[in-house]
Structure formats: C-alpha cells, structure tokens
C-alpha cells in the first residue's frame, strides 16, 4: 500500500472513531426533538436533563457504585499484581493468573447470569446478600474491575526498578514498610489509572448490572438503555456531551501530568 | 503476610468468578419450576436420604428448538465477519501508527484509546441517530447523488457489523501495534536491498511477523462479539439472531433460568477454543518479552 493510500485509511479510521462522538455533541445543542433534524441552537435539553429526577437519581446510584467498585478493584488488583509480579512461584499462582485474565474475555451476559445465580444460591444458603441491590452490583463490578486493574498495575510493577526495593530491604526495612515507602509511590500513576479504568467500566456497564440489580437500584446505564431502546432522546445527547467533556478533561490532565513527570521517575525523592 | 497478599484476591475471584460457574452448571442441570427461585434443587437432602436429580432436559431442549442452533451459528458468523472488517481497518491504522515519527506515536495511540474511555453505551447509541432514514449518513449520500432514496441501515445486520467494528476497533489496533512496533526495521531494509518490492516485503516479512498480533486482536474482537447483547439490541432488527439476546430473553422475558444457564454453558464451550488460542498467543508473547 502506498503512503498516500495508507494516510487515507488512517484518516478514515479516525473519522470513523470520532464522527459518532462529535454527532452526539452537535445534536445535544439542537432545538428540535427530532434529534437529527436541525432546528437551531439551544441548550434546553441540558435544562431538561437537570430536571429529570429519574436520571439524576440513577446517576447518583451509579457514582456511588463506581466509587466503591473502583476502590475495591484497585486494592484487590494491587494485591494480585504484587503476588504475580513479586512473589515468584507459589501455590495457586497459575490459578490466580487464570482467574485475573478470564473475566477480561468472558461475555458480559455469562458473568451477569452466573453471578446472579450465585447471589440467589448464597441467599438461600447463608442469608447473605439479602436481596439484590447496591451491594451485589458493587461486588459484580469490583470483580471484573479487578481483572482490568491487575493488567495496568502489573505492567507498571514489572517495569519498576526492583533494586530500590532490595536496597530498602537490605537497609533493614520490613516488607510492609518497603511496600508503603518504596513500591507504592512508584506505583502511584498505575494505581490512579487502574482506579479510573475500574470507575469508568463500572459507570458504563449495563448488562451485568441488569442481572444483579434489584428493585430501586437501577443504574444510570440501565436507565439510559431503557430510554434509547425506544429511539433517540435529546436529553441523552446532553448527558453524553457532559460525559465526553469530563473524560476529555481527565485524559488531558493525565497526559499533561505524565508529560511533566518522566515515566522512569519512580516516585518522590 | 506474604500468603495473605495472594490469598485475598484468590478468595474474592474464586467466590465471585469461579464458583458462579459451578452454580451455573448446577442450575443448567435442574428442572424449571414455578417457584422462587424458578427451578427445582439438583441435590436434595431429606429424611437422611441424599437425592441427586440431574436433568439433561435443558440441553436436549436446546437441540430440539432450531432457534438455539441457528442463533449460535448466526452469532459466530456475525462475530467472524465483524472481526474480519475490524482487521482490515485496524491493520493499516496500527501499521501507520507504528511507522509514524516517534514523537507523534503517543498522541495517535491516545486517539485510539480515548473513545474506549467514553461510554460504550452512548457511542453505540450515537449510531442510531447517524443511521436513521433521515440521518446524516443518508443525507450525505443523497446530497452527493450516490443514492436516490434513503438506505435502510438501522435495524439490519449491517448496523450490527458496524457497531461491533466500531466498539472493538481499539482491541484490534493495540495488539497489532504492539507486534508491529517491535518489528525489526533492518529486516525490511534487508528485503528492500535484496530487491524485494514493497508489496513482496509486506507479504513475506511484515505480515508473517505480525501474525501473533493479528491472532490476539482477532480473538479480542471475536470473543466478546459472539456474546454481545447491547449492540444487536440497539442496532439490530427482528431478524438479527444473536445468542446473547437469546440468553437475555430466556432469563428476563421467559424467566426460564435453567434454559438460560444451559445456553450460557454451551456459549462457554463454543468460546473455549478461541479463548485457548488467545491465551497461547499471549503466553508466547510474554515469554519473548
């Protein structure tokens, strides 16, 4: 393929990736309810969005779930990555390695259904979790969030200079102290990335949440999904625009911070 | 202490990922019932007698109603065709990024990953507006005179292919980029010095060496596509048969948990081979790194 043809394909590819996102933003400012027919510039759908209590309530539930799931995923992911990257061979290593990668490729309908069946079986056996709701969604999201967190954290851990940890150990620091004073500061960027990834994935999941949610715990994606199944909705466009702006700000901030701090820098000195 | 570090995530994932599959298998072997939960116990302990009632009826049912078999085939076909298109678009993009000047590569890679961070649900939803009869795509094609009347694109298999390629394109590009960027440029120069034309060099050097990336990327698109539910639900039509939707309907509409569980177990078996291939390729790449 010649250079010019290659360039055309790449440009077409990026247009393909970004045109739909751009269209969401443009049509969110459309006066007309018909979404794709331009009726003049308006911000009225943002007003409608802010008055829609169903969406606001669902957004609050989703943010709570995503926050808790992201924290759990980062903690579990750090533990699993530490074991896989630092502990050499131990009993259960293959098992752990398999368990952290399997959720990455398992279709969501299967994860959702099997977790729901587990929760129902557990409830009748030990009485917990009583019914389905916030707790069961957090558990489900933390489980697949952990799998993604491990990928991010383990990659950074492997790249980190081990001699710093060994030096601290030689100078008499206990393993816990080494972890908190040396390993953790070096891991910080990966921990932030893992937390954000788990948070985003939780905030985006509609399939697994639908299986394990109970009455009164409809998440934001579940509400959006039921709205857009009936057709386009300008309010959803307004919401999408807010999400896109938030994501762009966070990603640009992250890029700016990592550009200011070279990646090889392993924490404060 | 050291034990605990591995034990905590092992216990969590064991309880909330591994054991659910055991429960799933058990319930796929139980008999549906009008009860809460809607199935009869497989293992029963009453009056000191242990009864194990394994019921293969749900699996037999899957073979009797052609809906299930057709849906499995149709899912695999839709996933395979989408994967092929993702590869045809993703390969030149990954190749161009890998050959771009080093200072620009980071930005281009970020542009590939960025859509992945914005909501998947909202990005699929965007296509509903774009593909509508009076949407921008049809208006554009009408205005340049390629078509005289709007094409029906929404609620077709075409929209599902499009949605899958669009959603999973980053999963194709990233592993391809990983192998293409590590490719030894000296090999390409050597081939050129020895008189190979660019096309020959590509087919005999670049393509074979990037095979691990092709396989990994294809599996990362194919596997989730087979079980996809949201994309066919939003973009597909009544004729779009996908096994993820069948499972969903079995569970939420028919409330037949045992049959839904059997559908899920068979789906895992269908995906076992592609998952095994993916793990092999990834393990081989880790060994080389």
């Amino acid at each position: 393929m010649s250079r010019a043809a290659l360039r055309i394909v790449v440009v077409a590819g990026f247009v393909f990736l970004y045109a739909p996102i751009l269209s969401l933003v443009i049509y969110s400012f459309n006066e007309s309810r018909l979404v794709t027919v331009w009726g003049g510039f308006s911000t009225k759908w943002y007003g409608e969005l802010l008055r829609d209590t169903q969406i606001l309530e669902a957004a609050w539930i989703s943010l709570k779930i995503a926050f808790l799931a992201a924290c759990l995923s980062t903690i579990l992911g750090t533990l699993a990555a530490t074991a896989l990257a630092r502990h050499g061979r131990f009993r259960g290593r293959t098992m752990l390695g398999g368990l952290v990668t399997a959720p990455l490729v398992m279709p969501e309908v299967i994860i959702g259904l099997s977790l729901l069946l587990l929760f129902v079986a557990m409830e009748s056996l030990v009485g917990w979790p009583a019914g389905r709701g916030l707790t069961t969604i957090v558990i489900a999201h933390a489980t697949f969030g952990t799998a993604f967190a491990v990928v991010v954290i383990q990659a950074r851990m492997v790249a980190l200079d081990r001699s710093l940890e060994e030096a601290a150990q030689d100078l008499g620091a206990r393993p816990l102290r080494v972890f908190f004073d040396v390993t953790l500061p070096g891991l910080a960027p990966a921990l932030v990335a893992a937390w954000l990834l788990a948070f985003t994935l939780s905030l985006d999941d509609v399939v697994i949440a639908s299986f394990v949610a109970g009455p009164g715990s409809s998440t934001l994606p579940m509400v959006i999904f039921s709205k857009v199944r009936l057709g386009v909705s300008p309010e959803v466009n307004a919401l999408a625009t807010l999400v896109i702006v938030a994501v762009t700000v966070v990603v640009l901030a992250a890029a700016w911070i990592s550009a200011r701090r070279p990646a090889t820098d392993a924490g404060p000195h | 202490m050291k034990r605990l570090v591995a034990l905590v995530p092992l216990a969590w994932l064991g309880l909330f990922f591994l054991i659910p599959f055991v429960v799933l298998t058990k319930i796929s072997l139980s008999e549906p019932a009008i009860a809460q939960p809607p199935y009869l116990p497989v293992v029963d302990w009453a009056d000191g007698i242990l009864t194990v009632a394994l019921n293969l009826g749900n699996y037999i049912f899957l073979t009797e109603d052609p809906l299930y078999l057709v849906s499995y085939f149709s899912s695999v076909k839709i996933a395979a065709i989408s994967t092929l298109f993702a590869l045809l678009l993703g390969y030149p993009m990954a190749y161009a990024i890998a050959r771009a000047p080093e200072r620009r590569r980071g930005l281009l890679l970020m542009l590939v990953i960025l859509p992945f961070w914005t909501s998947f649900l909202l990005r699929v939803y965007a296509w509903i507006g774009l593909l509508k009869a009076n949407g921008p795509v049809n208006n554009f094609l009408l205005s340049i005179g390629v078509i005289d009347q709007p094409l029906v694109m929404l609620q077709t298999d075409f929209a599902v292919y499009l949605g899958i390629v669009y959603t999973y394109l980053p999963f194709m590009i990233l592993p391809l980029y990983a192998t293409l960027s590590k490719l030894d440029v000296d090999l390409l120069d050597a081939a050129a010095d020895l008189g190979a034309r660019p096309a020959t060099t590509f087919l005999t050097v670049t393509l074979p060496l990037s095979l691990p990336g092709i396989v990994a990327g294809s599996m990362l698109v194919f596997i989730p596509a087979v079980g996809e539910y949201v994309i066919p639900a939003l973009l597909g039509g009544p004729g779009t048969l996908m096994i993820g939707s069948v499972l969903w309907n079995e569970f939420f509409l028919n409330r037949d948990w045992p049959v839904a569980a059997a559908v899920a177990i068979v789906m895992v078996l269908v995906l076992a081979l592609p998952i095994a291939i993916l793990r092999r390729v990834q393990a081989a790449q880790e060994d080389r790194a």
Side-chain angles (χ1 to χ4, degrees):
Chain A
M1 201 184 288
S2 72
R3 248 163 220 286
L6 193 61
R7 183 160 287 195
I8 290 169
V9 174
V10 172
V11 171
F14 279 115
V15 169
F16 177 60
L17 281 177
Y18 284 90
I21 296 174
L22 198 67
S23 79
L24 286 174
V25 177
I26 293 171
Y27 288 121
S28 77
F29 294 108
N30 186 2
E31 169 77 31
S32 165
R33 177 168 276 286
L34 291 168
V35 179
T36 49
V37 179
W38 188 253
F41 182 86
S42 161
T43 53
K44 75 171 177 188
W45 301 114
Y46 290 85
E48 295 264 306
L49 179 68
L50 294 178
R51 280 189 294 276
D52 189 327
T53 47
Q54 193 199 8
I55 283 192
L56 292 182
E57 260 168 46
W60 177 234
I61 291 173
S62 276
L63 286 173
K64 277 193 284 193
I65 291 172
F67 178 82
L68 292 171
C71 293
L72 273 169
S73 303
T74 311
I75 294 168
L76 289 165
T78 310
L79 291 173
T82 307
L84 289 172
R86 289 288 188 265
H87 287 183
R89 289 187 189 282
F90 59 90
R91 247 194 322 149
R93 189 183 199 286
T94 322
M95 175 89 146
L96 184 61
L99 279 178
V100 294
T101 46
L104 299 175
V105 289
M106 200 49 72
E108 292 167 322
V109 282
I110 296 178
I111 298 184
L113 177 65
S114 59
L115 260 174
L116 169 83
L117 296 177
L118 172 84
F119 290 141
V120 171
M122 276 173 75
E123 192 184 2
S124 68
L125 270 180
V126 296
W128 184 89
R132 262 100 54 207
L134 231 73
T135 314
T136 47
I137 305 177
V138 169
I139 291 173
H141 285 181
T143 304
F144 73 74
T146 299
F148 283 89
V150 172
V151 174
V152 177
I153 299 168
Q154 199 184 345
R156 175 82 185 180
M157 230 174 209
V158 170
L160 273 185
D161 191 358
R162 271 195 89 159
S163 57
L164 281 176
E165 285 167 46
E166 282 157 6
Q169 228 158 8
D170 290 346
L171 292 169
R174 284 164 206 255
L176 259 186
R177 175 109 202 210
V178 174
F179 181 76
F180 280 104
D181 284 359
V182 183
T183 317
L184 213 51
L187 276 183
L191 296 182
V192 173
W195 191 92
L196 284 174
L197 186 59
F199 185 81
T200 313
L201 289 169
S202 166
L203 215 51
D204 198 20
D205 165 63
V206 55
V207 173
I208 297 173
S210 297
F211 278 98
V212 300
S217 63
S218 289
T219 63
L220 185 60
M222 287 166 69
V223 171
I224 295 175
F225 187 62
S226 63
K227 264 186 195 294
V228 301
R229 284 195 89 166
L230 306 171
V232 283
S233 147
E235 262 178 85
V236 174
N237 282 60
L239 180 69
T241 305
L242 296 180
V243 171
I244 291 162
V245 170
V247 168
T248 313
V249 168
V250 171
V251 169
L252 287 181
W256 186 67
I257 290 168
S258 63
R260 269 173 23 125
R261 239 181 69 179
T264 46
D265 179 10
H269 294 291
Chain B
M1 181 63 220
K2 206 171 162 179
R3 278 234 184 115
L4 214 59
V5 169
L7 207 60
V8 172
L10 256 179
W12 180 284
L13 290 166
L15 178 56
F16 295 120
F17 188 77
L18 203 58
I19 295 181
F21 279 92
V22 178
V23 180
L24 187 72
T25 313
K26 195 193 97 182
I27 287 167
S28 76
L29 293 168
S30 69
E31 207 167 322
I34 301 170
Q36 193 68 314
Y39 53 86
L40 296 175
V42 171
V43 185
D44 206 17
W45 178 263
D47 304 325
I49 302 164
L50 180 75
T51 7
V52 181
L54 286 184
N55 166 34
L56 288 172
N58 304 309
Y59 290 96
I60 294 166
F61 178 66
L62 292 190
T63 62
E64 281 170 349
D65 190 334
L67 166 78
Y68 301 99
L69 214 57
V70 171
S71 300
Y72 281 113
F73 275 115
S74 163
S75 302
V76 169
K77 189 192 92 186
I78 290 177
I81 293 175
S82 310
T83 304
L84 182 68
F85 280 110
L87 179 64
L88 290 177
L89 180 59
Y91 199 99
M93 289 183 75
Y95 184 85
I97 296 171
R99 292 281 161 275
E102 207 168 329
R103 63 197 155 75
R104 242 196 264 162
R105 267 183 235 166
L107 177 73
L108 290 171
L109 271 183
M110 202 177 83
L111 282 175
V112 169
I113 301 167
L114 195 62
F116 178 74
W117 286 84
T118 56
S119 168
F120 148 74
L121 181 60
L122 293 172
R123 282 183 296 128
V124 174
Y125 159 72
W127 282 102
I128 299 180
L130 289 175
L131 296 180
K132 282 205 317 185
N134 58 352
V137 174
N138 264 319
N139 287 345
F140 173 72
L141 294 176
L142 283 170
S143 72
I144 60 169
V146 177
I147 52 174
D148 341 302
Q149 50 185 359
L151 294 172
V152 179
M153 291 180 285
L154 205 55
Q155 300 195 332
T156 63
D157 284 5
F158 165 76
V160 176
Y161 295 140
L162 194 77
I164 294 175
V165 173
Y166 176 64
T167 304
Y168 295 107
L169 190 61
F171 292 91
M172 179 64 87
I173 295 179
L174 294 179
L176 280 174
Y177 170 80
T179 51
L180 284 170
S181 64
K182 282 195 213 103
L183 202 97
D184 194 348
V185 187
D186 291 344
L187 288 175
L188 305 180
D189 291 340
D193 289 346
L194 293 170
R197 276 188 286 179
T200 318
T201 310
F202 178 78
L203 287 176
T204 55
V205 181
T206 313
L207 202 59
L209 284 175
S210 59
L211 204 61
I214 295 176
V215 176
S218 299
M219 293 304 129
L220 285 174
V221 177
F222 180 79
I223 295 164
V226 169
E228 188 55 53
Y229 168 70
V230 172
I231 297 172
L234 290 183
L235 303 177
T240 311
L241 281 178
M242 289 199 76
I243 201 64
S245 318
V246 170
L247 190 157
W248 180 282
N249 293 340
E250 221 45 83
F251 180 82
F252 286 101
L253 302 182
N254 299 347
R255 295 195 60 76
D256 193 334
W257 294 16
V259 165
V263 169
I265 293 290
V266 175
M267 204 198 297
V268 174
L269 294 178
V270 168
L271 292 176
L273 182 67
I275 290 175
I277 294 173
L278 176 67
R279 297 219 55 176
R280 254 192 101 150
V281 177
Q282 286 178 334
Q285 278 173 316
E286 265 166 42
D287 284 350
R288 224 179 307 150

